[in-house]
Amino acid sequence: MKKLTLRPYPGEILLYDNFEAFQRRYKSMNGGHSHVHDKREIWGTTVPIMHEGCAPTFLVYARKNWPATLAHELSHVILHTFGIVGIDPRAAEGEPFCYMLSHLIEEARK
């Protein structure tokens, strides 16, 4: 598991490349319920965990941290985050979105 920050936006990402570890964390944060996907078929998934009055935690699973899967899943995180803070992802020709995606992928691949 790797923890990524969404700085300057609220929240954090818990990134997993192991589905069983992702599933354990999901259960611990979601009252013991399992994530619905069958691990044999899943390449990646993103689950926002929202708690009243707290910044969101995003549980992200990306098989083997493949760049294409990372880009896909982290895009879900950014779109959700931009929705929370009121940013149109198309604003400024998408530059805030693109810079955030580049930054998160760099951090995830370290």
Side-chain angles (χ1 to χ4, degrees), residues 42-75:
I42 189 167
W43 289 81
T45 189
T46 296
V47 180
I49 306 290
M50 308 295 287
H51 297 286
E52 188 77 29
C54 296
T57 297
F58 294 91
L59 297 183
V60 175
Y61 165 69
R63 183 186 287 186
K64 299 182 183 178
N65 283 337
W66 287 341
T69 306
L70 276 172
H72 178 101
E73 297 305 330
L74 294 174
S75 291

Side-chain angles (χ1 to χ4, degrees), residues 2-6 11-15 74 104-105 107-108:
K2 183 177 280 191
K3 187 182 287 191
L4 306 176
T5 178
L6 286 167
E12 67 180 1
I13 300 167
L14 304 180
L15 176 63
L74 294 174
L104 290 175
I105 288 176
E107 290 301 307

Side-chain angles (χ1 to χ4, degrees), residues 23-93:
Q23 187 78 286
R24 284 191 300 275
R25 179 58 69 98
Y26 180 87
K27 283 182 178 182
S28 74
M29 295 181 84
N30 199 33
H33 300 287
S34 294
H35 194 56
V36 296
H37 294 293
D38 180 340
K39 71 176 182 177
R40 294 170 301 195
E41 299 175 10
I42 189 167
W43 289 81
T45 189
T46 296
V47 180
I49 306 290
M50 308 295 287
H51 297 286
E52 188 77 29
C54 296
T57 297
F58 294 91
L59 297 183
V60 175
Y61 165 69
R63 183 186 287 186
K64 299 182 183 178
N65 283 337
W66 287 341
T69 306
L70 276 172
H72 178 101
E73 297 305 330
L74 294 174
S75 291
H76 287 300
V77 171
I78 298 167
L79 290 170
H80 191 95
T81 300
F82 279 16
I84 291 170
V85 299
I87 296 173
D88 181 345
R90 299 166 298 173
E93 298 182 358

